Structures are given as structure tokens and as C-alpha cells.
Amino acid sequence: MTAPAGWRPVLSRSALLRHDPVRQADLLIVPERIVVLNEEAAAIVGLCDGRRTVADIVAEIAAEFPGGVEADVVEFLDRVRAEGWLR
């Protein structure tokens, strides 16, 4: 599966992005699960606001984390979408 060209990802209603000051980490809180995100994953999820397209998100992440991240960002979005955490 690959992200549709015009898709504007947004967190599902059952998912929350929160920062845990104790762990000094960003967390994706979903039903019956807490996912600790690394810096890049948290940045990607943070951009999933329903306004940005996948291409917009890739461009912003590439500016922040140089080094050919397009395929990684799309793959990550596909995985998170498959889990039902993005719509």
C-alpha cells in the first residue's frame, strides 16, 4: 500500500500525540496501547493535521532531517494508517 497522492493525513479520533516529560519522549496514545516515538516519527505525526498532503509532510521532514527521507516517511505513514491511527 502507498499513500494516495492527495491524502491529507490526520490522527484518528482514538489517537492522541502527547509529550511525556518523565521519559522525555513523544507518545502516540491509542486504544489499549502507548507507542513511544523517536524524534523523526514524532515530527511526522505532528505534521498530520489534515491540512498538509503527504508531499507537504515529506518536504518539511526532508528540510528537518536531510538525507533522502521520502521513502521512509511514506512507509511510516502507510504503517500508521494500516494500524488505524491515521485517517
Side-chain angles (χ1 to χ4, degrees):
M1 169 171 40
T2 50
W7 181 38
R8 296 175 185 270
V10 64
L11 283 175
S12 71
R13 290 184 177 99
S14 62
L16 297 169
L17 179 62
R18 294 287 184 257
H19 181 74
D20 180 358
V22 174
R23 295 181 187 172
Q24 290 298 306
D26 290 303
L27 308 174
L28 185 58
I29 302 169
V30 293
E32 301 181 22
R33 195 167 179 189
I34 295 176
V35 180
V36 179
L37 301 173
N38 66 25
E39 184 181 2
E40 187 175 325
I44 295 168
V45 172
L47 295 174
C48 294
D49 58 9
R51 294 188 314 254
R52 293 173 176 93
T53 64
V54 171
D56 296 334
I57 293 169
V58 167
E60 289 189 46
I61 294 299
E64 190 174 340
F65 300 92
V69 297
E70 180 178 359
D72 294 337
V73 172
V74 172
E75 179 184 332
F76 176 77
L77 289 172
D78 282 341
R79 269 188 293 150
V80 175
R81 183 178 184 211
E83 290 286 344
W85 304 337
L86 290 176
R87 53 183 170 95

